[in-house]
Amino acid sequence: MSRILDQRILLLVISFSASVQSTKVLSKWKKCGDPECEKAMSRVQATTDYLGPDCRYLNFKAGEEIIVYSKLSRENENLWTGSKGKDFGYFPRDAVKVEEVLIGEEVEVLTKETDFLCLHEDKYTFE
């Protein structure tokens, strides 16, 4: 019985550690097409396959089209946020090429904690 309890505690600690990592703020600032970050900024095409490290990232294959909604700025300018069908998440900007710019000017805004949570089936997932 003690061994089962120890295993459950270990699993709880591992789960908590994964949760803290997956909600880590990647940047305090982001650039968007409007102050609410609802306007699409650009249409890009994947130049390589990409598999993200956790549920916050967008996975794709070379040739797929992605709509960009924000770009992290200052501390972490390499990550952009976009959607492919119903999937949404972060991806490295060097894994795509810009096909079409959809806005005239970028607006820099503060990120929110909710920007770094996993989104599954129209609800936030707290791991």
Side-chain angles (χ1 to χ4, degrees):
M1 181 73 165
S2 174
R3 185 178 173 126
I4 292 172
L5 183 59
D6 289 344
Q7 289 175 343
R8 287 185 179 173
I9 290 172
L10 179 61
L11 286 173
L12 183 62
V13 169
I14 291 170
S15 175
F16 178 74
S17 296
S19 175
V20 169
Q21 181 181 8
S22 70
T23 57
K24 179 183 171 191
V25 173
L26 301 171
S27 178
K28 291 182 182 181
W29 295 92
K30 63 184 175 181
K31 293 179 182 177
C32 301
D34 63 286
E36 292 78 32
C37 296
E38 295 175 351
K39 191 182 288 187
M41 298 178 74
S42 60
R43 182 177 54 81
V44 300
Q45 183 177 38
T47 57
T48 185
D49 293 354
Y50 178 73
L51 180 62
D54 62 46
C55 60
R56 297 173 297 167
Y57 292 80
L58 182 67
N59 300 321
F60 49 80
K61 299 217 177 279
E64 291 187 303
E65 184 177 284
I66 301 164
I67 302 299
V68 177
Y69 287 93
S70 68
K71 302 172 182 178
L72 294 185
S73 61
R74 299 187 189 192
E75 303 96 35
N76 198 353
E77 294 185 350
N78 185 48
L79 290 177
W80 290 1
T81 313
S83 67
K84 175 188 66 120
K86 291 183 179 183
D87 297 329
F88 186 85
Y90 292 95
F91 59 91
R93 72 178 180 187
D94 59 357
V96 300
K97 65 177 178 179
V98 176
E99 294 286 309
E100 180 180 13
V101 176
L102 304 172
I103 59 161
E105 187 175 322
E106 296 177 350
V107 178
E108 190 170 51
V109 297
L110 284 168
T111 60
K112 303 173 189 162
E113 253 185 57
T114 54
D115 289 339
F116 306 105
L117 298 176
C118 295
L119 184 62
H120 293 291
E121 299 175 10
D122 300 326
K123 62 184 179 208
Y124 286 111
T125 301
F126 298 89
E127 298 177 334

